[in-house]
Amino acid sequence: MTMATGRPAQIWISLRRPAITGAVGIVVAVLVLALSGVDPLRALSALVYGSLAPANIADTLNWAVPLVGMTLVAAVPLRAGIINLGGDGQMVVGALAAALTAIYLPVPGPLALVLALLAGAMAGSMLALLAAWGETRFGVPLLISSLLLGYPAAGVASYLVSGPLGDLGSGLAQTAQLPLDARLPLLAGVNGGVVLIVLLCVLVIFIDRRTVFGLETQVRGENRLFASYVGINAPLQTLRLMGFAGAIAGSVGAILVLGAFYRFIDGALLSPGYTWSGLMAALVGRGEPIASVLAGFFFAALQTGGFAMQRETSVPRVFTTMMQAVIVLVLTLRFGGRSGRHD
Amino acid sequence: MIDLISPFLIYSAIQAATPLLLAAMAGVFCSRVGVFNMALEGQMLVGAFVAVAAGYFTHNAYAGIAAAMVGTMVFSVILAAGSTWFRGNPVVLCIGMNLLASGMTAYFLRLVFGVSGTFTNPAIPLIPRLSLPGLAALGPWGAVLNNQTAVTYVSWLIVVLCTILLFRTPIGLRIRGAGENPEAAVALGVDVDKLQFATVVVSGALVGLGGAQLSLGAVTLFSEDMTAGRGWIALVAIMLARDNPVGAALACLLFGLTDALGLRLQSFGLPNQIATILPYVITLVALVAFAKRKRQLA
Amino acid sequence: MDNILEVENIEKRYGDLVANRDVNLAVRQGEIHAVMGENGAGKSTLMAILFGMIRPSAGTVRLRGKPVQFASTLDAISARIGMVHQAFKLFPSLTVWENIVFGAEPVRGALLDRKAARERVAALARTHHLDVDPDAVVGKLPIGMQQRVEILKALYRDAEILILDEPTAVLAPAERDGLLKIMRELAASGKTLLFVTHKLNEVMAVSDRVTVMRRGEVTDRMVTADTTAAAIIRAMTGREVSHEVVKPATARGRPLLEIDRLMVGNAAKPALDAVSFAVHAGEIVGIAGVAGNGQAELVDAVTGRRVIDGGTLTIAGTRANDLSLRERRGLGMAIVPEDRHDVGSVAGMPAYVNMSMGKHRAPPLSRRGLIDRAAMRRHAETLIQRFGVAIQGPDTRVGTLSGGNLQKLIVAREFDHQAPVLLVEQPTRGVDVGAIEYIHRVLVDERSAGRAVLLISSELPELLALCDRILVLYEGRIVRELAASQTDEKEIGFYMAGGKGA
């Protein structure tokens, strides 16, 4: 028997986790910084300034474009309880497909741009679908196969751009530059792909809130057995969710190539760790799109601030990566409550 | 083809299998006790870093190994306490730990050694290789097993010990039972939370040992994310072997062989990037081949 | 004074709910003491207190004359009390001896002394005539054998007092007789048995004395030999007979659910072996059988959770063998599942979502793939009213509902489909009396409306009251079809036990 609790109690319960997480996060940050021999206050204020001062907003947005995109990549399947660890591979194949389309397809620039985006989305989607199909057809856990598929995908891409399809003149593992008219324009210093990411966010939120598919996804996330009992086709749902997530990842890869690097550079997409930050943001939001996107934006600000912090103090900016992990870890813990074992 | 299958290939395979093997033993115990450990990757990375750091400062490989084991045990407390007393979701905890390990090692790499990417220094000691006289006398194929690091020999001993521990001791019985039906174990007076905590932390030492072999065994360096999916491959070995230590060890040997084979094929002209993906491809193929087919309609 | 265990004025409250009120119980050394009562009478709470699983709010427990307070089950075990739970607490992948010595293992050095463990288990089994192979893997043993392992676990820990919580609920009649015999032998060897049950004939057959509970209170104490079944029933229910269900005459229509030579499982030992029957419009067909004789597999095969290995399943005239559950529902089948919490509902979501699922893909609840939440709320409100679900409103999460109310909500959703075929599993298990009567009434209404109802229930009175025909499943086969109006519990029980009839 659960008795209805009063309003103040409910507000406290819903705020308790974020409050504890925030407090623990700040304490850990201060401790790590102090142990690193840095004045925590100075470092943290540099971090905040570096991310949110008007002059730095463009940097934050440029970081947020891929990161929020990759947040959706993780959040879309997570809403149904599926963890997609394959964002890296899906992003890389999308980026490569987009670069090759834009460079080699003999069509006018703007058309090449559109086709490149579509090719990126398709390629990412195919790789994600491969992992999903492995689970629905062969029972290979998606959790692991999605991740493991990323290594061959990145390896093959790396081979292609360092050999057969590479810009051999540059001596680096990269493709040739994209034609000027097949690039995404900058909007006030921000990757033009920002428009696409905003549209994708709106689309995901709309699907989640308003569609049958979104509702069924949430039902599955809450209770798998019930979902199959009321006739929700779980394998088909897995394929759709992963196909969609992979398409977003491929689009993010394409947006980075078309709007930031203007070529495919081996390793450049993966080293900032967008996939992992995005996954952390999605876990913070438990797959709920609005909360996840907000968390993704917060993490983007955190990481952009990291550059300023590194400049102003001696703190390496990977500090912000650690903090993301700390936030996720603290959020999953339960304090005080002793009801039942793992959920 | 004759050249391909050489004693050296097998030697390299055994060497490459060592970190996988140690991680897999740890994973078997965690899985048996009821905490599915997906953080092997991060644990191994922490072990590799601590081994290099401690080895660098003490000029002693064994000090590096010891520090790696202790350091990884400390790191494992996150999963051990988080999944027991704090009732965290183990999958989320492990994903968080992997990112934390990646961030933490990169952070301290910059902070302590002032480099990013790869840190290598003559002061970092190599784990000594042991020459066993009996094996040397067996000719080139005897050399396959000879001159491996002490960690490699110990790791196979550990496989035997783990098997005995799991199947022939009271603690092993309790570990197997606690994972299968925690409620029943609690009813018989076994503190499952405590047992899970201890198992995860102690097994962390094995992963740390594997990390040390990775950074001090064949090479003497630390580079960011140098584990490159080995923790996940070890996890696949556990799944293929259905939590059996010997089976998992053999699977690790197979994956070690693909690793060595990939390197070997490079000298036959296979591009480097293609050679390095070989273990992952084989791992995925093995997953499909051994997967339990679902007998269920949609 | 030969009372080994005395309970004085025990009380257990959960908020406003009183599970035990002023309970007194006296158990003599070496007797079989039955504790009787209907579901929810407070028997399990009392036993949980005696075994240290929960602490009483007030009152004392005396063991061998001394007051005791158990902080955990470990305290109870070391006070030489053992308990066999209704849901066994075993490790299926471990062997019998491993299960028994778990937590108190004989050792030689650092290693398990496997030889000593096996021998001790075998000796214990011999002494108490509990024949079981120490090296068998527990998960592969039949239920009756698993129960013996549970008893041996308690005896291995030197239990003097053995609590058996509904031990016969899971057993086939032959196994049950074996257990009753074992109980008598244990008592004869000096053990004290607390036998918790709601089955009258078992109490009459085996117990020395009876304590009867109702609504958390002890209503009577009797010496079995000096009492009658009717007196115990009166003490249990406070009334003489259970409610009658009025079934209007209906004309049996065409067959809507047809099962023909259905096979499930491997050929050597099929879980369902050439099962054939049909459920016609306007009738309720019941499936009787001891748990584990194929009911679960039958339900799984009909709902598509398990692959059909042979024969045909036809729903409303269409072959459905290879269809998904959604497609089967589309042919006209609604399902009330056994597990309300994990299968029948989604606790964390509001009632309107729970009640719309299944109808949410078509107008008025959705159009062109877009859901209409307002329409869903209206839909839920209508059903809540019509089926009298006690819930705050359509936005309330269903995780807070009581068993009976949750079941009404599920029944409301499923019956609202007006599907020609209804598959109903254990509709009243763990449901309060008011809800039982209501659910029985709507089931009969569905029958009158011309639906074909397949009812799977472990409650024989329920089957007898509701069904037109009763099919008895035994070891995966239908061994007997009985007309409900011309049979009784005794005859059904005979066939459930594998009895061969004319």
Side-chain angles (χ1 to χ4, degrees):
Chain A
M1 281 269 180
T2 317
M3 288 288 132
T5 33
R7 205 149 263 287
Q10 257 173 355
I11 290 170
W12 165 236
I13 286 165
S14 63
L15 284 182
R16 196 171 68 169
R17 259 163 195 286
I20 292 176
T21 306
V24 174
I26 290 170
V27 169
V28 171
V30 168
L31 273 177
V32 171
L33 290 170
L35 288 175
S36 309
V38 185
D39 175 4
L41 202 63
R42 208 176 126 235
L44 292 178
S45 54
L47 195 151
V48 173
Y49 183 80
S51 57
L52 298 179
N56 301 325
I57 286 282
D59 288 342
T60 298
L61 285 177
N62 268 324
W63 200 275
V65 165
L67 203 165
V68 169
M70 294 314 284
T71 301
L72 297 178
V73 171
V76 164
L78 186 63
R79 192 69 157 148
I82 301 166
I83 295 183
N84 174 17
L85 295 179
D88 268 353
Q90 294 150 19
M91 180 167 58
V92 164
V93 295
L96 184 65
L100 297 179
T101 308
I103 295 167
Y104 294 106
L105 205 66
V107 293
L111 182 59
L113 181 67
V114 174
L115 290 175
L117 277 168
L118 287 176
M122 285 258 295
S125 188
M126 298 304 278
L127 189 67
L129 278 173
L130 188 59
W133 181 69
E135 177 166 296
T136 57
R137 175 71 182 78
F138 298 108
V140 174
L142 177 56
L143 181 69
I144 289 173
S145 63
S146 65
L147 178 97
L148 286 179
L149 275 171
Y151 292 99
V156 169
S158 166
Y159 164 70
L160 290 176
V161 300
S162 60
L165 298 172
D167 179 9
L168 299 176
S170 71
L172 296 169
Q174 59 186 22
T175 62
Q177 283 221 327
L178 309 189
L180 286 171
D181 56 358
R183 298 176 183 183
L184 281 167
L186 284 178
L187 305 171
V190 177
N191 185 334
V194 69
V195 177
L196 250 137
I197 294 296
V198 169
L199 287 177
L200 278 172
C201 288
V202 172
L203 178 66
V204 169
I205 293 166
F206 177 79
I207 290 175
D208 185 74
R209 292 283 165 106
R210 294 293 317 276
T211 68
V212 168
F213 182 70
L215 183 65
E216 291 188 348
T217 303
Q218 291 166 51
V219 167
R220 156 114 173 253
E222 290 276 336
N223 186 342
R224 271 186 107 101
L225 290 172
F226 175 77
S228 84
Y229 152 73
V230 295
I232 295 173
N233 183 337
L236 183 65
Q237 202 178 36
T238 303
L239 291 171
R240 283 185 180 167
L241 288 167
M242 284 301 287
F244 185 31
I248 300 173
S251 306
V252 171
I255 286 167
L256 285 172
V257 163
L258 301 167
F261 302 131
Y262 304 132
R263 63 180 359 149
F264 180 93
I265 308 169
D266 185 28
L269 292 160
L270 304 188
S271 54
Y274 298 127
T275 298
W276 302 103
S277 294
L279 179 62
M280 294 298 128
L283 288 173
V284 168
R286 291 167 154 245
E288 197 283 314
I290 294 180
S292 302
V293 164
L294 288 177
F297 196 82
F298 171 70
F299 283 168
L302 190 65
Q303 295 205 295
T304 319
F307 283 98
M309 187 177 65
Q310 182 168 298
R311 257 193 327 270
E312 299 290 318
T313 66
S314 60
V315 181
R317 61 180 191 83
V318 281
F319 173 77
T320 56
T321 307
M322 288 164 59
M323 291 317 300
Q324 289 172 27
V326 168
I327 288 169
V328 167
L329 287 172
V330 177
L331 259 182
T332 189
L333 304 182
R334 264 143 228 259
F335 299 92
R338 287 222 44 136
S339 55
R341 298 184 62 81
H342 326 297
D343 54 350
Chain B
M1 216 46 210
I2 313 267
D3 288 349
L4 193 60
I5 312 291
S6 65
F8 181 70
L9 178 80
I10 308 297
Y11 175 86
S12 319
I14 293 172
Q15 180 172 285
T18 304
L20 300 179
L21 188 65
L22 288 163
M25 289 309 110
V28 163
F29 272 87
C30 293
S31 176
R32 287 279 186 167
V33 85
V35 182
F36 193 60
N37 185 351
M38 294 186 2
L40 295 172
E41 179 82 3
Q43 289 175 300
M44 200 191 290
L45 192 62
V46 168
F49 179 83
V50 175
V52 160
Y56 171 81
F57 288 115
T58 62
H59 308 293
N60 183 324
Y62 293 106
I65 290 173
M69 293 171 74
V70 173
T72 311
M73 281 169 78
V74 172
F75 182 62
S76 309
V77 169
I78 299 174
L79 176 62
S83 65
T84 53
W85 295 305
F86 292 104
R87 304 282 174 248
N89 178 332
V91 176
V92 177
L93 282 168
C94 290
I95 293 174
M97 281 171 73
N98 287 330
L99 188 73
L100 182 63
S102 172
M104 224 163 57
T105 51
Y107 181 78
F108 286 110
L109 191 65
R110 285 163 179 77
L111 200 71
V112 180
F113 300 111
V115 293
S116 64
T118 301
F119 173 62
T120 180
N121 189 295
I124 305 174
L126 188 69
I127 302 174
R129 272 126 218 275
L130 301 186
S131 176
L132 307 178
L135 287 172
L138 288 174
W141 286 99
V144 164
L145 298 176
N146 204 4
N147 285 320
Q148 299 277 6
T149 65
V151 175
T152 297
Y153 295 119
V154 168
S155 71
W156 285 94
L157 188 65
I158 284 174
V159 174
V160 176
L161 291 177
C162 282
T163 311
I164 294 172
L165 182 64
L166 198 55
F167 296 110
R168 290 286 186 269
T169 67
I171 196 86
L173 177 63
R174 291 173 191 193
I175 285 173
R176 285 181 287 145
E180 186 173 17
N181 187 349
E183 251 183 80
V186 169
L188 292 173
V190 171
D191 187 336
V192 173
D193 282 341
K194 210 189 267 175
L195 186 66
Q196 288 181 331
F197 180 88
T199 306
V200 172
V201 170
V202 172
S203 70
L206 294 182
V207 197
L209 185 59
Q213 162 76 11
L214 193 65
S215 60
L216 303 179
V219 293
T220 53
L221 58 85
F222 179 84
S223 67
E224 288 178 37
D225 294 324
M226 73 185 295
T227 43
R230 282 182 180 79
W232 295 96
I233 291 179
L235 196 67
V236 172
I238 298 163
M239 291 166 56
L240 295 180
R242 308 252 150 91
D243 294 342
N244 183 297
V246 175
L250 294 178
C252 288
L253 200 56
L254 171 73
F255 296 142
L257 185 67
T258 62
D259 198 1
L261 198 63
L263 287 174
R264 184 88 182 119
L265 284 171
Q266 279 186 51
S267 58
F268 286 78
L270 190 74
N272 155 44
Q273 296 93 336
I274 302 301
T276 51
I277 67 174
L278 204 58
Y280 308 105
V281 174
I282 298 293
T283 308
L284 283 161
V285 169
L287 267 176
V288 174
F290 286 88
K292 265 195 264 179
R293 293 285 187 286
K294 284 188 177 172
R295 292 225 334 133
Q296 182 186 3
L297 293 171
Chain C
M1 186 94 166
D2 56 355
N3 282 342
I4 186 167
L5 181 69
E6 287 167 317
V7 169
E8 289 166 6
N9 311 325
I10 284 283
E11 185 153 305
K12 181 69 193 175
R13 293 173 172 279
Y14 296 98
D16 293 339
L17 190 91
V18 184
N20 274 182
R21 188 201 308 271
D22 201 22
V23 171
N24 288 277
L25 175 74
V27 185
R28 289 186 194 145
Q29 170 103 43
E31 74 169 346
I32 299 181
H33 192 115
V35 178
M36 284 208 72
E38 287 190 310
N39 288 335
K43 299 167 298 190
S44 298
T45 305
L46 180 60
M47 295 307 127
I49 290 170
L50 292 180
F51 196 53
M53 294 155 75
I54 53 177
R55 287 191 202 211
S57 313
T60 349
V61 177
R62 281 180 204 279
L63 195 63
R64 298 174 193 95
K66 291 192 197 78
V68 286
Q69 280 190 329
F70 298 145
S72 73
T73 56
L74 290 189
D75 291 352
I77 291 171
S78 57
R80 305 182 73 181
I81 297 177
M83 182 157 178
V84 176
H85 300 268
Q86 193 177 355
F88 300 153
K89 292 176 186 277
L90 294 168
F91 310 106
S93 78
L94 304 186
T95 63
V96 167
W97 71 264
E98 284 176 324
N99 267 279
I100 291 170
V101 304
F102 191 97
E105 305 87 352
V107 290
R108 208 177 47 202
L111 299 184
L112 273 175
D113 192 341
R114 291 149 63 95
K115 192 159 160 271
R118 270 197 206 93
E119 277 169 9
R120 262 199 244 176
V121 168
L124 205 57
R126 257 196 319 277
T127 318
H128 296 283
H129 308 285
L130 289 160
D131 178 37
V132 57
D133 173 13
D135 286 308
V137 173
V138 161
K140 291 183 178 157
L141 292 176
I143 300 287
M145 281 289 181
Q146 295 191 3
Q147 193 169 53
R148 289 184 183 187
V149 177
E150 282 284 19
I151 295 172
L152 282 169
K153 264 165 69 179
L155 296 175
Y156 179 81
R157 288 165 178 75
D158 291 324
E160 284 292 324
I161 300 172
L162 205 53
I163 301 170
L164 302 164
D165 187 10
E166 303 274 2
T168 57
V170 293
L171 298 183
E175 288 177 322
R176 182 192 60 196
D177 295 343
L179 175 69
L180 297 183
K181 184 162 161 271
I182 288 166
M183 287 170 64
R184 275 189 218 103
E185 281 169 5
L186 285 171
S189 73
K191 307 282 181 195
T192 307
L193 277 75
L194 261 169
F195 178 36
V196 181
T197 184
H198 61 263
K199 293 190 181 157
L200 205 53
N201 50 352
E202 292 164 9
V203 170
M204 298 308 282
V206 81
S207 71
D208 299 305
R209 294 194 302 154
V210 192
T211 296
V212 185
M213 293 183 73
R214 173 157 45 102
R215 291 191 197 140
E217 295 179 65
V218 171
T219 49
D220 210 342
R221 294 181 190 78
M222 301 169 236
V223 175
T224 312
D226 303 341
T227 189
T228 61
I232 297 180
I233 290 187
R234 243 193 326 276
M236 269 170 74
T237 61
R239 61 186 170 186
E240 294 285 344
V241 286
S242 56
H243 71 278
E244 285 283 334
V245 181
V246 183
K247 274 192 302 188
T250 54
R252 192 165 111 153
R254 63 190 183 94
L256 292 173
L257 177 68
E258 294 162 272
I259 285 167
D260 185 33
R261 297 191 305 281
L262 198 71
M263 303 285 295
V264 168
N266 60 347
K269 195 174 176 294
L272 285 182
D273 190 358
V275 167
S276 301
F277 65 90
V279 187
H280 296 250
E283 71 169 345
I284 300 180
V285 173
I287 302 285
V290 176
N293 276 285
Q295 297 96 317
E297 288 80 4
L298 178 63
V299 170
D300 286 353
V302 173
T303 57
R305 243 190 328 244
R306 270 187 83 140
V307 172
I308 293 170
D309 295 297
T312 47
L313 166 72
T314 311
I315 297 171
T318 307
R319 184 187 144 99
N321 279 38
D322 304 314
L323 300 183
S324 69
L325 176 55
R326 177 145 130 223
E327 290 161 326
R328 292 179 199 208
R329 277 177 170 272
L331 293 177
M333 179 170 70
I335 305 155
V336 176
E338 177 177 350
D339 187 335
R340 291 192 271 286
H341 298 279
D342 288 337
V343 177
S345 63
V346 45
M349 296 186 88
Y352 78 84
V353 172
N354 272 279
M355 303 186 88
S356 299
M357 278 292 132
K359 287 208 154 182
H360 64 290
R361 296 173 156 271
L365 301 189
S366 69
R367 280 172 223 281
R368 277 178 248 102
L370 299 183
I371 56 173
D372 182 346
R373 284 181 201 270
M376 286 184 173
R377 288 195 178 89
R378 281 196 301 276
H379 172 69
E381 262 165 4
T382 315
L383 289 182
I384 287 168
Q385 289 240 312
R386 183 139 65 88
F387 286 80
V389 185
I391 187 170
Q392 276 180 316
D395 282 291
T396 310
R397 293 178 181 199
V398 304
T400 57
L401 292 182
S402 71
N405 265 315
L406 185 58
Q407 186 71 333
K408 278 187 181 174
L409 181 141
I410 293 166
V411 165
R413 176 187 65 218
E414 294 299 319
F415 287 11
D416 184 54
H417 286 298
Q418 310 199 335
V421 178
L422 293 176
L423 175 61
V424 181
E425 279 183 272
Q426 313 291 359
T428 56
R429 182 175 284 175
V431 165
D432 57 286
V433 177
I436 290 177
E437 292 186 15
Y438 184 80
I439 289 164
H440 283 176
R441 203 166 67 234
V442 293
L443 269 168
V444 170
D445 289 347
E446 290 299 306
R447 170 181 172 273
S448 306
R451 320 260 187 257
V453 183
L454 181 61
L455 173 67
I456 289 122
S457 174
S458 57
E459 299 289 322
L460 295 187
E462 179 166 276
L463 289 173
L464 285 165
L466 294 175
C467 295
D468 297 284
R469 293 183 290 140
I470 296 171
L471 308 173
V472 184
L473 262 182
Y474 177 73
E475 292 189 340
R477 294 163 192 254
I478 291 183
V479 292
R480 191 74 187 177
E481 176 178 332
L482 300 161
S485 56
Q486 285 153 37
T487 186
D488 55 19
E489 286 193 39
K490 208 174 146 205
E491 190 186 12
I492 301 175
F494 174 74
Y495 292 112
M496 282 168 66
K500 304 263 189 303

